[in-house]
Amino acid sequence: MLRMRLRHVTIDCADPYGLATFWSRLTGWPISGIDQPGDDEVLVEAPDPVPGLLFVRVPEPRSAKNRVHLDWKPDGRSRNEEVERAVSLGATIHEDHRGPEDRGWVTLRDPEGNEFCIEQH
């Protein structure tokens, strides 16, 4: 049977290395050893079989809401701890959907405004 495997999630951005650094710190995944500041493409390498995050320089700024975003589930921390950590790394809270009994999620924006969610642990 022929099939495909997702290799990367690609994110357009103004500063690939800077944004990859944020995501590397957030996820704990390393930046590829061949990538350097100023590169037009920078890869954050995920553990197999998870797809990596590829940041690609584009000339135009982000202009609208993301059509696709990433949902994250903390591992070893609570959702609230992970939200606080993300904010300390440079994310901003966009929408807070936390509810009673530790339900819900928080939508954040990375340093270039790309939205992502952190769900309950």
Side-chain angles (χ1 to χ4, degrees):
M1 171 162 67
L2 298 176
R3 55 188 170 152
M4 295 187 356
R5 182 173 149 201
L6 185 59
R7 182 173 178 198
H8 301 130
V9 174
T10 302
I11 300 168
D12 293 348
C13 60
D15 178 9
Y17 197 86
L19 200 54
T21 298
F22 166 82
W23 282 99
S24 175
R25 290 176 180 157
L26 185 67
T27 61
W29 304 341
I31 292 176
S32 172
I34 64 170
D35 293 327
Q36 302 294 320
D39 285 353
D40 288 333
E41 296 180 1
V42 178
L43 177 64
V44 174
E45 298 175 329
D48 224 14
V50 177
L53 301 175
L54 180 62
F55 298 89
V56 177
R57 185 182 317 278
V58 295
E60 65 278 353
R62 182 176 171 270
S63 62
K65 182 181 184 327
N66 293 31
R67 297 293 294 221
V68 174
H69 71 263
L70 304 174
D71 290 338
W72 297 93
K73 180 179 177 181
D75 186 17
R77 291 185 191 86
S78 72
R79 177 202 52 224
N80 295 344
E81 290 170 328
E82 200 61 48
V83 168
E84 288 177 23
R85 195 174 74 81
V87 169
S88 77
L89 293 172
T92 56
I93 295 176
H94 175 61
E95 295 176 341
D96 194 331
H97 299 277
R98 288 178 271 203
E101 301 178 21
D102 204 28
R103 294 184 179 263
W105 69 95
V106 178
T107 303
L108 298 106
R109 289 185 173 155
D110 72 16
E112 288 201 17
N114 300 298
E115 294 148 10
F116 64 99
C117 292
I118 297 179
E119 300 177 348
Q120 71 181 34
H121 57 287

